[in-house]
Amino acid sequence: MVRSVLRAEGHDAWAVGHEDRALEAFREINPDVVLLEARLPGMNGFAVCRAIRAESQTPVIFLAARTDTAAVVAGLEAGADDFMAKPPRLSELRARIRVRLRAGIGLAWILTLSDLVIDLNGRTVSRAGRPLRLTPIECDLLAVLARRPGQVLSRRALLEQVWGGDAPFDGRTVNVHVLRLRAKIEPDPRHPVYITAVRGVGYRSDDPTRSSCIEENPS
């Protein structure tokens, strides 16, 4: 269920049910965040967490029974960044994932789209070496899109990832901020090459040096 919800919101999500396969999948996928069950048949979540922490600072969120204090302590000592009681409330889970993503832990500090450079640590953006003045929301919106070039993110997914899960859904909010962002980052905002719209779905980021971009539904 959690995987389905995350995928519906524009995230790539995978589920693995065995300890050996978990580590293999982690190395293959290189995820931004890991959700780990503390106790599952065929999987020692604590061992998996220690193995992940030995080679990566990717955020790990543990899921354990609210009354299983020993599991919570063991998970945190194994290197987990956060803990949630299961079954997790989806709104809270989304919020905790956003916090970890915004913290930039486990993510590249520098994102690039052709000559557009986003410094997540310094929260600065430049194009062809020239600094661009973006608001914090515009910077967050650009970072969310740039992390997954070529992947279409729905307006709802963008609203929840940038503004938070408690924000009422209004696609116009996303549209307005995309227009403002384009005005600052695009060489010609009337013919955008970094952020393009996909009719009836949402927006995607593109690297104009790697592929041609067609604006399907200007907004």
Side-chain angles (χ1 to χ4, degrees), residues 12-32:
D12 293 325
W14 293 264
V16 180
H18 194 276
E19 182 176 337
D20 293 338
R21 177 56 187 149
L23 292 175
E24 181 182 342
F26 173 79
R27 291 166 182 147
E28 290 176 356
I29 298 168
N30 189 27
D32 293 336

Side-chain angles (χ1 to χ4, degrees), residues 30-33 56-59 100-112 117-124 142-144 146-149:
N30 189 27
D32 293 336
V33 178
S56 171
Q57 291 302 308
T58 298
R100 295 300 159 188
L101 290 175
R102 286 182 177 178
I105 303 172
L107 302 176
W109 287 117
I110 303 295
L111 301 174
T112 60
V117 178
I118 305 116
D119 182 340
L120 298 177
N121 191 17
R123 294 185 66 79
T124 61
L142 179 59
V144 168
R147 283 190 182 111
R148 293 173 173 80

